[in-house]
Each structure stands twice: as C-alpha cells, then as structure tokens.
Amino acid sequence: MSGANFAIRQLFDRESCTYTYLLIDTPSKEAVLIDPVIELAERDTNLVKELGLKLKYVINTHVHADHITGTGRLKKLVPGCQSIISKNSKGQADILMSEGEQIKFGGQVLEVRETPGHTEGCVTYVFNAAGCAFTGDALLIRGCGRTDFQGGSSPTLYKSVWSKILSLPENYILYPAHDYKGQTASTVAEEKKYNPRLTKSESEFVDIMAKLNLPYPKKIDESLPANMVCGLHELPDRMKDWV
C-alpha cells in the first residue's frame, strides 16, 4: 500500500504466522517497524538498507507470547533506532506509550489507542493519513486474540474492539499481527458484518471465549521473559550471540 508521501510493506514469518509492518515516510525516508520477529531481524535490516531508509522506531503492539520480538536484535543491527511499547504492558523499552499519544516519523503520525483484553498492555496504532490501523492481536481477520492469560479479559477485549477499532471509519483497512488462513487485511466494515465472535452480544462473546480451550503457545516459556525486556533477556541458547 502506498500514497503520495507514505508506503506500507507487509512482511511475514511462516513459523508464527506473524505479520511485521514497515511504514515509510517517503519524502524523509524515515521509517518504523511494527511487531518484528527476532529470527527475521536480518531480513528486516537488509530491506531497510536496500530502500535507503532511516529506521527511527521498532514498535510492538503488545508483549507477544508466541515469538520473541526482534526489537533488541534490530537495535543492534541498526544503531540509533529506539524501541516502543505500551506503558501498561509493563515491558521495558526506550519509549513507553499511553492512550492518545503520537508516534511521529518524517511527516507521518501514528495515534496510540489502548485496546486491552488479549493482554492488559495491548495497543492499536492508527495511521489516519493512510486510512488504516494496526490492531495487533486485539482484532484479527474474522477473529480476535485469546483472553485466558497475560491479564486477558473477554469483556475488556469486547469493549476495546468496539470502542477503539470498530468505531473507526468503515473504509479503514485493518492490519492484524497474525493470520493463519492466508488473509492479509480486512476493513472495519467487514469485521462489523462478518466477524463471527465480535458480531455477537458481549455476553455471547464472553461465553464463546470461555469455551475455546486453546493450548498454550509453544514458545510462551521462552518468549514472555525475553519480550518483557525488548527481546534481550534469557534468550534460548541458539540466540545467545544475537544481542
């Protein structure tokens, strides 16, 4: 996706089905990365260099449980860039953000909207100039993030999605942090009409979420401790020399 003065590149991690987003201010060549994965930090760095970009920020939508963030690795590979996460995540980063604050790169602005429920520290980044939002795990394509750990709450998630994401203009494109069926984006209008969980009443939604009985993510034990400190702590042996 691109406009007169911005571009968005969607990248993918096959193992965790995570989307990473490279957002570019084309006049200044300043850029940010949203939800990078540590195993693919070199891929992201090479793309930034090939496009002649100045990576200003590496950003997470929340403390992930299914992969280790590439934030710490990218800070080593691209000196000068800073990490960002929400204050409510209780994670460590160079900059901690709260509701209504802005992330600026070149002439572009991301608005921070707190959307807890999947975790207590989830945020959605709204890119109004591009007519889109990066929803993390709060809202997925025809789904949503689980609510059974990391301070999750089904009633809170329901309220967050409806008040902070589905309240956006209906033509806004929604970019999730994951998709497991090969879809890449949705819109506010589509999710308001077709999301099988969030089109229900709040009580029905809470009941659906309580009956999911999902297994814990395979990498949760290595991901959570590392991600609380930018992906730099208690790394698996295979990654010890990466930071």
Side-chain angles (χ1 to χ4, degrees), residues 1 7 10 36 80 84 98 103 139:
M1 179 180 181
Q10 186 179 51
I84 293 177
S98 298
I103 299 169
L139 180 62

Side-chain angles (χ1 to χ4, degrees), residues 42 73 76 235-243:
E42 281 82 1
R73 180 74 175 138
K76 182 176 180 180
L235 290 176
D237 289 340
R238 68 185 185 278
M239 301 178 184
K240 292 293 187 185
D241 61 346
W242 286 10
V243 294

Side-chain angles (χ1 to χ4, degrees), residues 70-134:
T71 299
R73 180 74 175 138
L74 283 158
K75 286 183 63 179
K76 182 176 180 180
L77 295 170
V78 187
C81 69
Q82 293 184 294
S83 57
I84 293 177
I85 200 166
S86 76
K87 185 176 181 180
N88 287 338
S89 73
K90 301 182 177 63
Q92 295 180 18
D94 296 313
I95 302 170
L96 301 175
M97 306 297 291
S98 298
E99 174 76 23
E101 293 187 314
Q102 296 182 335
I103 299 169
K104 297 180 181 180
F105 57 106
Q108 309 305 323
V109 176
L110 295 178
E111 173 197 346
V112 178
R113 293 193 176 193
E114 293 176 352
T115 47
H118 169 59
T119 74
E120 57 190 346
C122 286
V123 295
T124 291
Y125 298 110
V126 180
F127 192 2
N128 286 301
C132 67
F134 302 88

Side-chain angles (χ1 to χ4, degrees), residues 36-49:
V37 177
I38 192 169
E39 288 91 344
L40 296 172
E42 281 82 1
R43 175 203 67 184
D44 300 342
T45 300
N46 289 338
L47 181 58
V48 165
K49 290 179 178 176

